[in-house]
Amino acid sequence: MDYIKATLDKKRTGRKIGNLITASKITFEEVAAILGFTSPRVIYEWISGKKLPNIENLANLARMFNVQIEDVIVLR
């Protein structure tokens, strides 16, 4: 069986999240508040590629921007 394991590309996924937020005209602070965070710090960590959102936050980002989860993540 020829199988290549997929891994999430944190940096490119972060850039994609940042682009979705910017294109939506919603501020990082508003996204953080919608997701229940008290600060946008975690949003900046996602955008920089330091961290990735958990599956629940990925699903909520996808809903917020009216895209599929697959449109938010980048696999390599």
Side-chain angles (χ1 to χ4, degrees), residues 1 9 21 31 33 36-37 39 43 46 53 58 76:
M1 175 182 199
D9 187 320
I21 293 170
V31 172
F37 300 121
S39 158
I43 307 298
W46 296 343
L58 277 172
R76 47 182 151 135

Side-chain angles (χ1 to χ4, degrees), residues 41-55:
R41 191 187 94 220
V42 72
I43 307 298
Y44 292 115
E45 289 175 339
W46 296 343
I47 292 168
S48 70
K50 290 181 182 177
K51 293 185 178 182
L52 286 170
N54 65 25
I55 192 68

Side-chain angles (χ1 to χ4, degrees), residues 1 7 11 17 20 23 26 29-30 33 36 38 41 44 46 48-49 51-53 60 64 67 70 73 75:
M1 175 182 199
T7 56
K11 294 266 186 211
I17 292 169
L20 286 167
I26 299 173
E29 291 79 9
E30 290 170 322
T38 57
R41 191 187 94 220
Y44 292 115
W46 296 343
S48 70
K51 293 185 178 182
L52 286 170
N60 283 310
M64 191 180 311
V67 297
E70 293 83 1
I73 61 173
L75 298 173

Side-chain angles (χ1 to χ4, degrees), residues 5-23:
K5 182 182 173 191
T7 56
L8 284 171
D9 187 320
K10 287 182 182 181
K11 294 266 186 211
R12 290 175 59 202
T13 298
R15 283 195 299 268
K16 213 170 205 189
I17 292 169
N19 291 338
L20 286 167
I21 293 170
T22 301

